[in-house]
Amino acid sequence: MTSHSPRNHPDPSATVAALSAQAVALERRVIELRRELAEVTARMAAVAAALAGLRASGLLPDPATGEERPGQDSG
């Protein structure tokens, strides 16, 4: 039978403390990533609205057909 030394087993309270610290850090990172994702989503919506406005004004071709609208300068 082998005897187990306390040195071979990590301290449970130290393990819990380390895991808790990691969990807090991960939760903060998740919150940060959610904020960044919301910012990217808002920027994408703004760009889509700007493109739609340009298409509506005839400054951009219709993406479905690739054709310019009448009166558009082809460059």
Side-chain angles (χ1 to χ4, degrees):
M1 197 177 220
T2 47
S3 65
H4 295 281
S5 149
R7 291 182 304 199
N8 293 339
H9 298 287
D11 178 23
S13 61
T15 301
V16 168
L19 291 173
S20 295
Q22 287 178 345
V24 168
L26 288 172
E27 286 176 22
R28 287 182 182 156
R29 182 66 178 138
V30 166
I31 290 167
E32 179 183 338
L33 290 171
R34 284 182 178 154
R35 285 183 188 144
E36 290 176 9
L37 183 58
E39 289 174 14
V40 168
T41 300
R43 281 185 277 175
M44 287 174 52
V47 168
L51 289 172
L54 290 171
R55 285 188 192 104
S57 69
L59 294 174
L60 284 180
D62 185 342
T65 63
E67 295 178 6
E68 296 180 353
R69 294 180 183 224
Q72 247 184 323
D73 205 3
S74 62

